[in-house]
Structures are given as structure tokens and as C-alpha cells.
Amino acid sequence: MTITLPGLLAADTGRLETVARHWDKLARALDAAVEDLGRDTRELPNHWPAGPSSQAAQDKAAELRVQVGNGQTHCAAVAWIIRDFALDLEQGRRRLNELVAEAQAAGLRVDLEAGLITATIAAAASPGAVDAYAQQIGEVLTVVNEADRKAADDIGRHVYREETLPDAEQSRFDDVAILALANWVDTSQTDYWKGLHSVHQERAIAEFPTIIGAAPGIPPKDRDAANRILLGRAKDELLAARARQEQAHDGAMNQAQLDLDRRLAAITDLEHRSEGKNLLSYEAGSEQEAELTKR
């Protein structure tokens, strides 16, 4: 089955966007499941005596997180494919309308529903005009149908089987791409992050919190997680410095300790202000400038 002129004109790209959002929603649900499973199982070694059963449980939890995360990447990819195809349809329809307008300005009559182009008497002096526009309209349909076939092939490659683990190349964590993320535009950051395996998202947050926390194209909850790491590190460093000062001066107060106490108070204030909110930006020493949004 191919896309016809009436089919292209009637294509509901808004509906395609709705379908893409459903796939996005499913991807987010699977992403949350990976996070929940990680949070609920990471303490297993502290509560389960070391032995074969404990190790088997930890291995299975890790395997399940990878498998569920595989579903998340497939769903995110399908959403992207649908949106890309919708864009191809819009571009094809826009080009089609441009050709119709040009043909009518040249004195031709275009009936897209019937697939007919006819020339008025005044336009008859322009030989080949009808064939030229018919060929160009045909080329629009060719491009649209090629996009349709490509979308079908791309979607067909995203088959999820829970027993299948990713191969070594798919499992490789691309730290170079994470480092480059800071220089990408917001939309590119969003597309990359959606297609990143949930387990790799967690690793990126843990290993590159400065980049992830400041990337506007990354979801607020993930930026919040990254900035909380930075906030925790700043607090730990200040507490350690405070303890060293107190030990060095036998508990006597000095200016350095007062400065550290002010910094710690600013962090405590930010912790209170950020309760129930997403911490979208954080820089040590600039707690008052931290950006917060509702969850």
C-alpha cells in the first residue's frame, strides 16, 4: 500500500504526535521502573548475608534493570521515528501546496483528489508545463512513500525480547558523548537523553553531575538528581573543613570557622527551600542563585 495524493492531504500529523507522546509516556514509565528497582535493591548486600544466593539476587536485579531499560530505549526510539515521519509528511504536503500554487499561477488547473492537471487555453502556449508539474508532484509522492517505508523498517527493528541482553557495543558507556553534551542545543540533548539506556543515564548523573545538572534539554528530575550530588559534595567538603578548623584551634571559634558556618547555613537553607522541588542549577558558593521549579 502506498500513500496517494488524497492520503497525503488527509494525513493527520497531529494524531501522529499524540501517538508519539504515548510512546514517550511508556518510555518514562520504564525509566522510572529501572530507577525504582535500583533504589529498592541496592541495599541488598547490607541485609542479605554474603553467599551464592545473595550474589544471585544482586546479579538478577542488575540483569532485570538492563532488560527493562532496553524496553525504555526501544519506546523512545519509536517515538522519535514517528515524529520524524510526521515531519516528512508535513514537508511533503508543504511542497505539494507550493507546486499547486505555482501551477495555478501559470494558468493550470490542478485537481489533487482526482490526480489531474489540465491547461487553460491561455496556458496552452507553454508546452510541457502539464507534464513538468505532474512529474514534480510525482516526485513528492515518491519521497513521502520512501519516508513511509523507512519508518516502517526502522520501527520493525525495535523488537523487544526480555530474554535478550544488549551486546558489548550497545552496553558500552559513551563518556565522550556525555562530555560533548554540554555544547549541544537543548533539542539535541533531549533526543540523546531519551535514547540513552536508563542504566547509562544513572551512570552519567553519578559521574558527570556538573554537565547533567546544567543541561537544559535533560528532564528536570535527572538534573535535580545531578545537582543534589553536587550539593551533597559541597556540604561534605565544608563539614570536613569545619572539623579540621575546630581540631586545629581546640574548639575555639575563629573567622575561618565563621565563614564555613555561613556557607553551611546557606546550604541548609537551600535544602529546605528545595524540598518537594527540582533543583535545576547549583554552583557551590552560590546557593541563593540556585534555580528551583515545582515537581
Side-chain angles (χ1 to χ4, degrees):
M1 182 179 295
T2 59
I3 297 175
T4 62
L5 284 173
L8 177 56
L9 291 172
D12 188 349
T13 54
R15 180 60 180 167
L16 288 177
E17 173 58 30
T18 299
V19 173
R21 284 200 297 269
H22 284 306
W23 282 98
D24 278 336
K25 183 178 180 180
L26 182 55
R28 289 194 298 271
L30 291 171
D31 185 33
V34 173
E35 292 179 4
D36 290 344
L37 187 57
R39 181 177 58 253
D40 295 340
T41 59
R42 67 170 56 99
E43 294 299 321
L44 274 177
N46 298 327
H47 304 289
W48 197 325
S53 62
S54 175
Q55 188 60 51
Q58 294 175 58
D59 292 344
K60 178 55 68 174
E63 182 180 303
L64 284 174
R65 295 182 72 225
V66 171
Q67 290 173 324
V68 175
N70 290 346
Q72 179 265 330
T73 57
H74 283 307
C75 292
V78 170
W80 185 89
I81 292 167
I82 293 171
R83 288 194 173 95
D84 196 42
F85 176 56
L87 180 60
D88 288 332
L89 289 177
E90 289 286 2
Q91 291 175 336
R93 187 155 50 197
R94 182 166 53 251
R95 178 57 181 153
L96 185 60
N97 289 330
E98 290 172 352
L99 288 171
V100 170
E102 290 177 13
Q104 290 174 340
L108 303 179
R109 294 192 183 96
V110 182
D111 185 345
L112 293 177
E113 291 292 335
L116 295 175
I117 303 177
T118 56
T120 62
I121 295 176
S126 178
V130 171
D131 290 342
Y133 279 108
Q135 179 180 347
Q136 292 180 78
I137 290 174
E139 289 171 354
V140 171
L141 282 181
T142 298
V143 171
V144 167
N145 276 284
E146 178 57 34
D148 187 29
R149 285 189 290 272
K150 180 179 182 300
D153 291 342
D154 290 345
I155 289 176
R157 281 194 286 271
H158 290 281
V159 178
Y160 174 69
R161 295 183 176 87
E162 66 176 15
E163 72 275 10
T164 303
L165 292 174
D167 58 31
E169 182 61 26
Q170 291 174 316
S171 299
R172 187 175 64 86
F173 180 71
D174 191 354
D175 54 350
V176 175
I178 299 298
L179 289 170
L181 200 65
N183 300 317
W184 295 356
V185 298
D186 298 6
T187 53
S188 295
Q189 291 176 347
T190 301
D191 289 341
Y192 177 78
W193 194 254
K194 283 183 178 179
L196 195 63
H197 196 289
S198 299
V199 173
H200 289 175
Q201 289 179 357
E202 290 185 8
R203 182 173 173 183
I205 291 169
E207 296 184 12
F208 302 93
T210 302
I211 292 175
I212 303 306
I218 289 178
K221 69 178 183 64
D222 294 323
R223 293 177 65 186
D224 175 78
N227 285 315
R228 299 283 176 179
I229 291 175
L230 297 175
L231 182 63
R233 289 178 182 175
K235 185 175 183 178
D236 289 344
E237 290 174 3
L238 290 171
L239 288 172
R242 182 68 172 77
R244 289 194 297 271
Q245 283 289 329
E246 188 171 346
Q247 184 178 16
H249 296 85
D250 294 326
M253 187 63 66
N254 59 65
Q255 186 58 48
Q257 288 175 306
L258 291 173
D259 292 339
L260 290 170
D261 285 344
R262 278 194 291 270
R263 287 286 315 284
L264 285 166
I267 287 179
T268 300
D269 176 65
L270 177 56
E271 289 174 334
H272 290 320
R273 288 189 290 115
S274 65
E275 291 179 0
K277 298 178 181 178
N278 285 314
L279 182 58
L280 292 188
S281 70
Y282 175 70
E283 183 177 350
S286 300
E287 284 75 23
Q288 288 299 321
E289 286 73 43
E291 182 182 359
L292 299 169
T293 61
K294 292 182 179 179
R295 287 180 179 170

